[in-house]
């Protein structure tokens, strides 16, 4: 990574928007057992600010919607980058922003909603509403017990599907919670990476058949390939 071309993308099917993959400080948690994408974090603030500025320059505002992602939470982006995002929102007449944050930042969401001049859709990596699997196997450090608690703060959960140890029942309940308590959501079909967490091919096959209808649901994005968003 590092080339702005790979950091800017346009989503033209569901929830049309522009996406910028920006660089932030290391994830303050950094210990989820399945996560190996924190390599994109940095510590050189000036370099990150200038890279992020280059990426943000590509935003045209054509959809009026902008999503900003980084390998971590939006609160780990340099302050100056957040100011630049705010400026782009004003300049390009963006009407809605998508941000992502870990559960530990839940109390920071309201101030951020006040700081930005437009509504924010906050995504959260829930992975699963099964508390034991999320906390013990995935080591997510997100200690809520009910989906309603998440919905008090966040707008759009990201679920992970197809991990060894997960069951069909867990996935069915997760999708049900997503649809019941949230307006929007993302489902990531798990791909093997450098961590010991493995994909369960049987389970993925079952999911792709059983939940084919989700692909037509305008409020849920199913990502089958890690690069489905066109960035990264
Ligand atoms: S919170 Fe996100 S970036 Fe941080 S370790 Fe977990 S998955 Fe990785």
């Amino acid at each position: 990574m590092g080339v702005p071309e790979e950091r800017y993308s346009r989503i033209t099917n569901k929830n049309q928007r522009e996406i910028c993959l920006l660089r932030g400080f290391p994830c303050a948690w950094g210990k989820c057992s399945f996560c190996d994408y924190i390599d994109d974090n940095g510590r050189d603030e000036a370099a990150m600010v200038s890279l992020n500025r280059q990426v943000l320059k590509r935003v045209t505002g054509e959809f009026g919607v902008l999503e900003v992602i980084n390998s971590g939470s939006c609160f780990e982006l340099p302050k100056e980058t957040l100011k630049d995002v705010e400026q782009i929102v004003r300049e390009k007449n963006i009407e809605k922003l998508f941000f992502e944050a870990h559960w530990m930042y839940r109390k920071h969401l309201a101030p951020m909603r006040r700081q930005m001049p437009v509504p924010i859709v906050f995504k959260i990596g829930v992975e699963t509403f099964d508390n034991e699997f999320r906390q013990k196997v995935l080591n997510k450090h997100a200690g809520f017990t009910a989906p309603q608690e998440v919905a008090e703060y966040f707008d759009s959960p990201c679920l992970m599907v197809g991990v060894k140890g997960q069951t069909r029942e867990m996935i069915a309940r997760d999708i049900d919670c997503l649809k019941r308590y949230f307006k929007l959501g993302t489902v990531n079909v798990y791909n093997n990476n450098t961590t010991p967490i493995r994909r369960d091919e049987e389970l993925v096959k079952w999911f792709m058949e059983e939940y084919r209808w989700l692909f037509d649901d305008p409020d849920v994005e199913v990502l089958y390939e890690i690069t489905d968003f066109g960035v990264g």
Side-chain angles (χ1 to χ4, degrees):
M1 276 189 265
V3 191
E5 277 63 45
E6 290 162 2
R7 294 182 169 274
Y8 170 83
S9 176
R10 297 159 67 249
I11 305 293
T12 52
N13 42 6
K14 293 180 190 179
N15 292 301
Q16 296 192 325
R17 61 198 189 273
E18 292 174 276
I19 297 195
C20 290
L21 169 60
L22 303 185
R23 185 172 280 170
F25 293 105
C27 166
W29 172 237
K31 296 191 189 78
C32 297
S33 55
F34 59 89
C35 176
D36 74 346
Y37 46 77
I38 47 183
D39 290 349
D40 193 39
N41 295 320
R43 292 185 191 273
D44 181 344
E45 181 158 5
M48 292 193 285
V49 168
S50 112
L51 169 71
N52 293 342
R53 208 163 268 163
Q54 266 181 282
V55 180
L56 287 168
K57 256 199 207 135
R58 302 200 49 188
V59 173
T60 64
E62 62 178 311
F63 305 120
V65 185
L66 172 64
E67 174 162 5
V68 167
I69 53 175
N70 54 296
S71 298
S73 301
C74 64
F75 300 98
E76 287 141 8
L77 286 168
K79 291 248 168 349
E80 227 176 310
T81 292
L82 286 168
K83 286 228 169 64
D84 289 341
V85 170
E86 193 183 329
Q87 198 184 331
I88 284 288
V89 164
R90 293 185 200 277
E91 263 171 30
K92 304 292 177 186
N93 298 316
I94 304 291
E95 289 162 0
K96 187 160 71 173
L97 266 175
F98 281 72
F99 271 159
E100 185 160 10
H102 185 277
W103 173 248
M104 66 189 161
Y105 289 111
R106 62 195 176 284
K107 305 280 187 206
H108 299 230
L109 269 49
M112 182 64 91
R113 289 189 202 273
R114 287 194 292 271
Q115 179 187 335
M116 290 294 160
V118 295
I120 303 175
V121 175
F122 266 108
K123 292 181 161 185
I124 174 175
V126 157
E127 320 311 348
T128 173
F129 288 105
D130 185 289
N131 301 327
E132 185 143 328
F133 198 77
R134 184 180 64 255
Q135 294 292 72
K136 299 221 172 108
V137 178
L138 303 179
N139 201 30
K140 192 67 206 186
H141 186 54
F144 52 83
T145 50
Q148 293 93 319
E149 282 172 70
V150 179
E152 271 177 41
Y153 299 95
F154 294 87
D155 310 289
S156 179
C158 300
L159 299 176
M160 210 159 76
V161 151
V163 177
K164 270 234 157 37
Q166 248 181 340
T167 64
R168 294 178 181 193
E169 292 71 28
M170 276 161 61
I171 294 171
R173 174 164 176 267
D174 284 344
I175 304 292
D176 182 63
C177 289
L178 191 167
K179 290 303 299 172
R180 199 182 294 267
Y181 300 108
F182 300 89
K183 279 205 296 284
L184 297 171
T186 307
V187 178
N188 294 300
V189 177
Y190 186 71
N191 283 292
N192 286 334
N193 56 23
T194 59
T195 70
I197 300 291
R198 293 292 91 184
R199 164 164 154 143
D200 182 335
E201 293 298 344
E202 273 292 292
L203 199 57
V204 169
K205 196 165 163 273
W206 167 82
F207 172 79
M208 295 302 279
E209 282 163 16
E210 191 77 14
Y211 286 93
R212 186 124 294 273
W213 57 269
L214 262 189
F215 285 80
D216 301 321
D217 183 326
D219 299 324
V220 180
E221 288 176 313
V222 186
L223 306 182
Y224 190 66
E225 292 296 334
I226 252 161
T227 50
D228 270 357
F229 273 162
V231 285

